[in-house]
């Protein structure tokens, strides 16, 4: 009841309608760390069809070695990440969240129109397949071997691919590693990733962030949606200072976002309902 009262109070104070979808270059400019924060906000508060990690899962089967791998992984900035629920879609035969698939189709059409032929070669990956991949890249039990594997490969439970919203791009006839040096990447990344942003994608592991898990990965992008990129991360207002209803109203006004599906008035953003439900 308290939450309902707060929301009703907040709605009375909200007078600004949500902005239209962007088709201009008016996106905010983000640093690498701000892209990371936007992603965390997206998977925590906004994006549907995700379930929180249930904790660490075995990696190699050797408990001591797994503990050491985790220690080194945490030092590199790896964290447990949410996993996609049921109902994944696909694009070009690659499983991914339906919203990411639709956005990829739009991005692909725009890219092709300008002569860029990059393809999506990986998106959703389960913790089980991540375990298989990591173990196949682990070349020994020394700290050096562990760190070498973690430079490029996540341990199961920590990959953004578990969400189904992360896509790996590959230059036509090329490899992941080459992607950052291609004209296709330059097209995506120009003007603070304008061509990625206008379809709802942001860089997953930008090159100006330290301790984010793997080394920078210019080929990986995550879909967070255009409206989220437009409004950014909602301000956090101190409810004790501003008053609870005013605080919520100010947060909504700072980031209207997509309205919650079950809000008949279309005024309460989904991210706010998600946060209040926690
Ligand atoms: Zn990837």
């Amino acid at each position: 009841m308290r939450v309902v009262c707060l929301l009703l109070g907040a709605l009375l104070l909200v007078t600004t309608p949500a902005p239209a979808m962007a088709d201009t270059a008016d996106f905010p400019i983000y640093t690498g760390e701000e892209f990371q924060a936007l992603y965390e906000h997206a998977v925590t508060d906004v994006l549907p069809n995700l379930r929180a990690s249930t904790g660490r899962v075995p990696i190699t089967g050797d408990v001591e070695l797994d503990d050491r791998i985790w220690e080194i992984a945490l030092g590199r900035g790896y964290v447990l990440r949410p996993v996609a629920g049921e109902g994944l879609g696909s694009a070009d035969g690659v499983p991914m969240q339906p919203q990411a698939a639709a956005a990829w189709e739009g991005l692909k059409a725009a890219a092709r129109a300008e002569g860029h032929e990059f393809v999506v070669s990986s998106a959703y990956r389960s913790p089980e397949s991540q375990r298989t991949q990591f173990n196949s890249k682990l070349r020994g039990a020394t700290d050096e071997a562990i760190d070498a594997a973690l430079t490029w490969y996540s341990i199961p439970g920590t990959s953004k691919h578990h969400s189904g919203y992360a896509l790996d791009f590959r230059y036509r006839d090329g490899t992941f590693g080459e992607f950052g040096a291609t004209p296709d990447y330059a097209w995506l990344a120009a003007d603070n990733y304008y061509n990625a942003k206008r379809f709802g994608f942001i860089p997953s592991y930008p090159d100006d962030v330290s301790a984010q898990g793997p080394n920078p990965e210019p080929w990986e992008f995550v879909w967070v949606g255009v409206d989220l990129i437009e409004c950014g991360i909602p301000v956090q207002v101190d409810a004790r200072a501003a008053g609870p209803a005013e605080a919520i109203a100010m947060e909504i006004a700072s980031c209207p976002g997509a309205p919650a599906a079950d809000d008949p008035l279309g005024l309460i953003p989904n991210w706010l309902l998600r946060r209040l439900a926690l």
Side-chain angles (χ1 to χ4, degrees), residues 122 125 159 161 166-168 176 205 217 219-220:
S122 180
R125 199 177 303 141
S159 173
H161 286 286
L167 276 63
D168 285 338
F176 295 113
Y205 295 110
E217 295 190 354
W219 59 87
E220 186 172 306

Side-chain angles (χ1 to χ4, degrees), residues 190-234:
D191 300 325
N192 196 240
Y193 298 91
Y194 170 68
N195 281 318
K197 282 158 133 180
R198 66 192 176 104
F199 294 96
F201 290 98
I202 59 173
S204 186
Y205 295 110
D207 60 10
D208 57 345
V209 180
S210 58
Q212 57 183 333
N215 277 12
E217 295 190 354
W219 59 87
E220 186 172 306
F221 284 77
V222 284
W223 186 85
V224 299
V226 172
D227 63 334
L228 196 66
I229 295 171
E230 271 196 295
C231 69
I233 301 160

Side-chain angles (χ1 to χ4, degrees), residues 213-271:
N215 277 12
E217 295 190 354
W219 59 87
E220 186 172 306
F221 284 77
V222 284
W223 186 85
V224 299
V226 172
D227 63 334
L228 196 66
I229 295 171
E230 271 196 295
C231 69
I233 301 160
V235 296
Q236 294 278 319
V237 178
D238 184 349
R240 286 168 304 181
E246 290 84 350
I248 289 176
M250 289 164 74
E251 293 192 17
I252 293 174
S254 79
C255 183
D262 54 356
D263 169 18
L265 297 177
L267 291 173
I268 304 174
N270 193 45
W271 62 261

Side-chain angles (χ1 to χ4, degrees), residues 13-64:
L13 294 171
V14 171
T15 54
T16 317
M21 299 287 277
D23 60 355
T24 70
D26 293 337
F27 292 113
I29 301 300
Y30 293 99
T31 65
E33 289 191 352
E34 288 167 341
F35 277 126
Q36 296 291 58
L38 195 62
Y39 175 77
E40 296 300 335
H41 170 54
V43 294
T44 305
D45 300 327
V46 181
L47 297 181
N49 196 28
L50 292 174
R51 51 189 164 84
S53 162
T54 52
R56 294 185 187 183
V57 295
I59 307 169
T60 64
D62 176 329
V63 175
E64 257 181 51

